[in-house]
Amino acid sequence: MNIVIETVGKGDRYMRIRYQVGSILFCIILFTSPVFGQDLPHIVSPESVGLSSSRLKHIDKLMTRLVDENKIGGSIVLIARKGKPAYFESFGMADVGNPMRKNSLIRIASFTKPVTCVAVMQLYEQGLILLSDPVAKYIPEFARPKVIEMLPDEADPPYRLVPAKRDITIRHLLTNTSGISYRFMANWFPDPKHQQLARLYESAGIFDGVSEIDGTIGEMVRKLGRMPLYNHPGEAFEYGLSTDVLGRVIEIVSGMNLNDYFREYIFKPLKMTDTYFYPPEDKLHRLSALWISDGMGNLRKMTDGPKREGTFIYSASYPYKGSKTYYSGGGGLISTAYDYFRFCQMLLNQGDLDGFRLLGPKTVELMTATNHIDTLDATFIHSKGWKFGLGFAIEMERGYDVDSGSKGIYEWAGIYSTRFSIDPREEKITIMLTQTYPFDYHIDIWDRLTTLSSSAVIDSLVPKRAGPNNWN
């Protein structure tokens, strides 16, 4: 395999890298050697599960073009239907000199959130917590919360704190309506209130969970409980550290740290053998690099150590450097496409996989098919027409800009340009993994991929209805 490195832009800051595979023999050795990790799943014929092989090839063209144009380093795409993977391909590079493989380890970031929400709902099913429970019942620092209000520009200080209208509940945390924010939200929405709240978070030593962090989630959450809220609980959809707080609630209620709880009650039952907060040394060679892209063809590998972008601190090296004691329930997991497919398939099966039940069907329905935010819209990475369940955005109406293919689809994403979608109507799962930052460049890619995924369906499971007035 020849690696061509071209300098683009200023000095050697940007690299244009392409791979040329020189022989069939190399490919056979590369993808069959046991050194590259666990056995890969059997891939069925797309037509056997009602998908079109020729239509799925459009995904090859899309992803290959993005790699060739140097807009992403590499990617993995997995599409499954009726419980069986029918499309599973990798593209481009994981690192310089190392192609992306189907079992490459990926920083899945906020893909962690649905895992944490499943854990919470397991405790809910055991009667150990209620969705209406105040968070302060478990973490006293969240008692008597305050909300930040900005004052006129000449005021000193420029804000005041007012008592929240209501307590933060477990449901508020699950639906991102608690009023708890992220520091990086001040980059995305640079209004005075987000900027002020980010400064308060930074002064208190509160991070977003994707960098080397000393201490534990318990220590950080206690600090967070003393911070003001962006909005009154239940009155706005504000993406933030709510799921990290849920991770601490899991620890308190279960008596286990979050790593051990996930391992025992989610990863082992689902045979997610490649999912970790901190991968073991003997698997780190499979971890993809993190790539910085400007979306215009300039791509560079991110170096180790924390990096700062405005209010946001992030790092490529947090999976293998630092104290490794911080278990972020909102963004800390490393996984593979196949492992996360197994998690998604459990949800699509209404809580069961391979005869092991993690959740009851009614609980999965409550999480993935129930609007918990009333008239609010979950437009953070979607558009009007999307609502929010317990850990998932749900497409309620298709007639808007962001359409993943069916009413009732539920999905989420990760800040390093990862995305998954579960379509109960068509019994279909779509997973896209890259390791590309910033996040916003992937949105166009995902919109195209979901179009290609849904258009590959050739035997729709949605009942046919006569007449244009009955169209879905």
Side-chain angles (χ1 to χ4, degrees), residues 124-172:
Y124 164 84
E125 286 192 328
Q126 297 171 48
L128 297 175
I129 62 173
L130 293 174
L131 301 186
S132 57
D133 280 345
V135 177
K137 176 178 177 180
Y138 306 101
I139 307 169
E141 285 80 2
F142 283 93
R144 297 178 295 281
K146 301 289 194 299
V147 177
I148 189 169
E149 287 188 354
M150 300 308 294
L151 299 174
D153 291 343
E154 64 275 9
D156 185 19
Y159 66 92
R160 67 177 181 177
L161 302 181
V162 299
K165 297 177 184 177
R166 58 193 65 87
D167 288 331
I168 304 169
T169 66
I170 298 297
R171 188 190 303 273
H172 291 140

Side-chain angles (χ1 to χ4, degrees), residues 344-350 410 422-424 427-429:
C344 292
Q345 190 64 53
M346 176 274 295
L347 291 167
L348 186 54
N349 292 350
Q350 297 187 315
Y410 54 97
I422 301 173
D423 185 343
E427 298 180 17
K428 183 167 65 72
I429 294 166

Side-chain angles (χ1 to χ4, degrees), residues 437-458:
Y437 183 82
F439 171 86
D440 49 342
Y441 295 132
H442 102 281
I443 294 175
D444 176 78
I445 300 170
W446 176 252
D447 288 348
R448 294 175 191 275
L449 177 63
T450 53
T451 298
L452 299 179
S453 177
S454 62
S455 65
V457 174
I458 53 177

Side-chain angles (χ1 to χ4, degrees), residues 4 26 97 105 107 111 141 152 167 194 198 206 298 300 304 315 330 336 349 358 364 368 373 390 421 440 443-444:
V4 179
F26 175 80
L105 292 173
R107 301 162 191 80
F111 275 30
E141 285 80 2
D167 288 331
H194 274 117
I206 294 168
N298 294 317
R300 61 185 172 90
D304 284 358
S315 171
T336 63
N349 292 350
L358 269 71
V364 176
T368 66
I373 61 172
L390 303 178
S421 181
D440 49 342
I443 294 175
D444 176 78

Side-chain angles (χ1 to χ4, degrees), residues 1 21-36 40 99 101:
M1 179 170 62
V21 179
S23 71
I24 295 175
L25 177 60
F26 175 80
C27 293
I28 293 172
I29 294 171
L30 178 65
F31 292 106
T32 60
S33 172
V35 72
F36 296 112
L40 296 174
R101 302 185 177 93

Side-chain angles (χ1 to χ4, degrees), residues 100-322:
M100 187 71 83
R101 302 185 177 93
K102 295 175 185 177
N103 66 348
S104 290
L105 292 173
I106 301 294
R107 301 162 191 80
I108 60 171
S110 287
F111 275 30
T112 307
K113 288 179 171 68
V115 179
T116 301
C117 293
V118 164
V120 168
M121 298 310 287
Q122 287 178 322
L123 300 176
Y124 164 84
E125 286 192 328
Q126 297 171 48
L128 297 175
I129 62 173
L130 293 174
L131 301 186
S132 57
D133 280 345
V135 177
K137 176 178 177 180
Y138 306 101
I139 307 169
E141 285 80 2
F142 283 93
R144 297 178 295 281
K146 301 289 194 299
V147 177
I148 189 169
E149 287 188 354
M150 300 308 294
L151 299 174
D153 291 343
E154 64 275 9
D156 185 19
Y159 66 92
R160 67 177 181 177
L161 302 181
V162 299
K165 297 177 184 177
R166 58 193 65 87
D167 288 331
I168 304 169
T169 66
I170 298 297
R171 188 190 303 273
H172 291 140
L173 296 178
L174 288 162
T175 58
N176 289 296
T177 59
S178 67
I180 297 169
S181 190
Y182 269 130
R183 278 172 55 169
F184 79 77
M185 292 294 280
N187 289 355
W188 287 36
F189 305 102
D191 57 87
K193 189 193 286 190
H194 274 117
Q195 292 177 339
Q196 181 61 58
L197 194 57
R199 287 192 288 270
L200 293 173
Y201 277 22
E202 181 170 3
S203 296
I206 294 168
F207 294 86
D208 289 341
V210 287
S211 61
E212 292 87 337
I213 301 173
D214 292 331
T216 66
I217 190 69
E219 293 165 351
M220 191 282 290
V221 165
R222 285 193 292 274
K223 297 176 187 176
L224 188 60
R226 293 188 283 266
M227 292 290 102
L229 305 176
Y230 183 81
N231 55 263
H232 292 278
E235 295 189 2
F237 185 90
E238 175 69 12
Y239 196 51
L241 287 159
S242 291
T243 319
D244 286 78
V245 179
L246 286 172
R248 179 56 181 157
V249 171
I250 293 166
E251 292 186 333
I252 292 168
V253 174
S254 70
M256 305 169 69
N257 71 45
L258 195 60
N259 180 59
D260 291 343
Y261 185 94
F262 280 0
R263 182 74 43 209
E264 187 66 26
Y265 294 108
I266 298 177
F267 301 156
K268 283 184 179 179
L270 295 182
K271 298 179 183 177
M272 295 172 66
T273 58
D274 275 332
T275 304
Y276 306 91
F277 281 107
Y278 302 101
E281 292 287 335
D282 63 355
K283 292 190 177 185
L284 285 175
H285 67 281
R286 290 166 48 202
L287 179 66
S288 174
L290 187 60
W291 299 91
I292 309 299
S293 172
D294 67 355
M296 302 295 291
N298 294 317
L299 188 72
R300 61 185 172 90
K301 177 183 172 180
M302 186 173 169
T303 56
D304 284 358
K307 304 294 185 292
R308 185 179 189 111
E309 181 181 293
T311 58
F312 183 40
I313 305 292
Y314 63 106
S315 171
S317 51
Y318 72 88
Y320 50 88
K321 289 193 172 183

